[in-house]
Amino acid sequence: MPDDGAAAAAVTPRSTAFPDVASFVRGIAFADLPAEVVQQAARCLLDLVGVAAAGTRTRASGIARSYAASQLCGRDESARILFDGRRSGIAGAAFAGATTIDAVDGHDGHALTKGHAGVAILPALLALCDGVSRRRAIDGREFLTCLALGYEIATRAGIA
């Protein structure tokens, strides 16, 4: 996550026992997250939602949302486009959300990666949750766990 110390704080004795990324992803639970990581994930979520709200006023966001709604519909699953209400395929909704957040470039960053992980993580997570919600609901704890996990993996990949 953007707080340079938060990524390191997410490494618990249990998480270091996983031999690979897939095992780590499948094995992590909300209870495994330190309180500081949960707090930082909540801050990142609020920051990204605020930036997305501002981004909806931009031309780039309008173009991306219209394109996703008309051209990226998908075949099986659909999701609502962030701050729009129209539906698109899951990938299209994620694309439109990321473009909306990135349109004002006021979102998180990490000094070691020179990147903005949240711009991709949050819209993809929201689109996936909305698309899958008809089969299985995702609660707030699981949502924050997935958000923190996305930041952890993206930040580590960026540093690598």
Side-chain angles (χ1 to χ4, degrees):
M1 285 188 253
D3 179 6
D4 294 344
V11 179
T12 64
R14 180 175 173 209
S15 68
T16 57
F18 295 111
D20 58 56
V21 174
S23 295
F24 176 69
V25 169
R26 285 190 307 272
I28 197 80
F30 184 81
D32 298 325
L33 301 177
E36 301 84 31
V37 172
V38 173
Q39 187 176 34
Q40 183 63 25
R43 272 195 297 265
C44 289
L45 175 60
L46 289 173
D47 177 67
L48 289 165
V49 169
V51 173
T56 61
R57 311 273 301 171
T58 66
R59 186 167 187 262
S61 172
I63 291 168
R65 289 182 286 126
S66 291
Y67 180 74
S70 65
Q71 303 298 314
L72 302 175
C73 298
R75 289 184 170 185
D76 300 323
E77 300 287 342
S78 68
R80 286 170 289 194
I81 297 170
L82 184 62
F83 286 118
D84 186 283
R86 291 177 287 179
R87 296 191 80 80
S88 174
I90 291 174
F95 161 75
T99 302
T100 297
I101 292 171
D102 205 40
V104 293
D105 199 24
H107 49 293
D108 59 27
H110 191 283
L112 298 177
T113 63
K114 307 284 191 263
H116 304 278
V119 72
I121 296 166
L122 180 63
L125 182 56
L126 288 171
L128 183 62
C129 289
D130 190 44
V132 173
S133 66
R134 290 180 294 252
R135 290 180 300 206
R136 184 176 83 78
I138 296 171
D139 66 15
R141 289 176 175 235
E142 185 175 1
F143 187 89
L144 282 179
T145 302
C146 291
L147 185 66
L149 190 56
Y151 271 105
E152 182 74 17
I153 291 170
T155 301
R156 286 177 184 260
I159 291 169

